[in-house]
Amino acid sequence: MARKIVITSGKGGVGKTTVCCNLGVQLARRGYRVIICDLDFGLNNVDVALGVENRASYDVSDAVEGRCRPRQVLVQHPRYPTLFVVSSNRVPERYVSPQAIRLILDSLSPQFDFILIDSPAGIDDGFHRAVSCAEEGILVTTPHISAMRDADRVVGMLKSYRLSSTGLAVNLVRKDFARRGEILLPAEIAATLRVPLLAVIPEEDKVFLENVVERSHSFRAFAQCIAEGTTDGKPFSSRRIKF
């Protein structure tokens, strides 16, 4: 059965979808069977970030509303054969309940190792729909005060769902700023939010330009951290992340 991991954030623009897509790619490169499910019905762009926007015949709303079978919403990535995308290319005709999405993902789960759920930013209905479908959570923030403040509110929401684990990915880190003390260190951010630190992702021009960077050291380390949780009996690796 697949591990269902929601990737969420408080503030928009922190790179949540980029983190989700790069993590999925790195897990697929390690041989894992991965689904990336876009549950941001309003501002969906997982398919664009992964370059498969013209390959989808159906989206998750079609499966929920009975126009196709769950398996038909999967779009296989042309470069990574074990990576599949479930897109949400349009606003559903009616309200989509968390239970309906969970049924779709549960039917796909036995054939996969990971289902990464890209949640809308914020704490509106879309956030609750996405988190309700997950068993584990990854919170994405940047070192900016506004992003951290919003992340702190999301931490409280995630705790109410009693996920088996919640971890933190600090994105867009400028190492020169951190070393000069102009921003908080990722470890300090994790301590402030009281969430285990899983990944430190530096600001990189290549990621900004290309969305997905296959040779990114930070995302390879992130994927290793997540994958180790399947072998040591823990949801996430407890190894220390150096910065």
Side-chain angles (χ1 to χ4, degrees):
M1 300 291 286
R3 290 168 57 191
K4 302 181 187 71
I5 306 174
V6 65
I7 299 177
T8 187
S9 67
K11 186 177 182 296
V14 300
K16 169 183 53 62
T17 297
T18 300
V19 169
C20 184
C21 292
N22 277 277
L23 177 59
V25 165
Q26 293 301 328
L27 288 170
R29 292 186 69 224
R30 297 173 71 90
Y32 292 104
R33 299 163 297 173
V34 182
I35 293 174
I36 300 179
C37 179
D38 190 345
L39 289 188
D40 189 345
F41 293 130
L43 299 172
N44 49 290
N45 55 20
V46 164
D47 54 348
V48 175
L50 289 168
V52 297
E53 65 271 22
N54 296 321
R55 293 175 174 266
S57 300
Y58 300 101
D59 62 35
V60 68
S61 300
D62 292 312
V64 168
E65 295 169 359
R67 287 185 288 271
C68 70
R69 297 187 301 275
R71 189 81 188 179
Q72 290 178 281
V73 304
L74 295 175
V75 177
Q76 186 175 27
H77 197 283
R79 184 178 178 89
Y80 313 106
T82 62
L83 178 63
F84 292 80
V85 176
V86 174
S87 62
S88 58
N89 290 323
R90 58 189 177 81
V91 177
E93 295 175 1
R94 58 182 182 272
Y95 173 74
V96 177
S97 70
Q99 293 80 4
I101 299 293
R102 192 158 52 239
L103 285 173
I104 299 299
L105 297 183
D106 285 348
S107 70
L108 298 171
S109 177
Q111 290 78 47
F112 290 87
D113 301 303
F114 292 93
I115 297 178
L116 305 182
I117 302 168
D118 188 34
S119 164
I123 52 175
D124 293 333
D125 287 346
F127 165 84
H128 293 286
R129 182 187 298 115
V131 178
S132 295
C133 297
E135 299 155 353
E136 306 170 41
I138 296 174
L139 174 63
V140 179
T141 188
T142 64
H144 303 92
I145 296 299
S146 59
M148 291 168 54
R149 181 177 182 179
D150 289 350
D152 187 51
R153 296 188 65 191
V154 172
V155 168
M157 292 287 186
L158 292 174
K159 288 181 179 178
S160 70
Y161 279 91
R162 301 185 183 277
L163 301 175
S164 63
S165 65
T166 301
L168 178 69
V170 183
N171 192 31
L172 301 177
V173 176
R174 285 281 301 271
K175 292 186 177 181
D176 53 341
F177 287 175
R179 287 169 180 159
R180 293 198 300 264
E182 296 178 14
I183 59 173
L184 289 177
L185 292 171
E188 294 171 329
I189 296 171
T192 300
L193 296 176
R194 300 177 299 282
V195 179
L197 180 62
L198 300 178
V200 178
I201 304 164
E203 184 176 311
E204 298 181 60
D205 291 343
K206 197 170 182 63
V207 174
F208 178 82
L209 293 172
E210 300 180 16
N211 291 315
V212 173
V213 178
E214 189 174 280
R215 296 186 178 183
S216 169
H217 173 74
S218 57
F219 283 114
R220 286 202 305 267
F222 193 8
Q224 180 181 352
C225 181
I226 299 302
E228 283 178 356
T230 64
T231 60
D232 63 8
K234 299 176 184 178
F236 291 118
S237 169
S238 60
R239 67 183 177 82
R240 297 177 68 87
I241 298 177
K242 296 180 179 179
F243 179 71

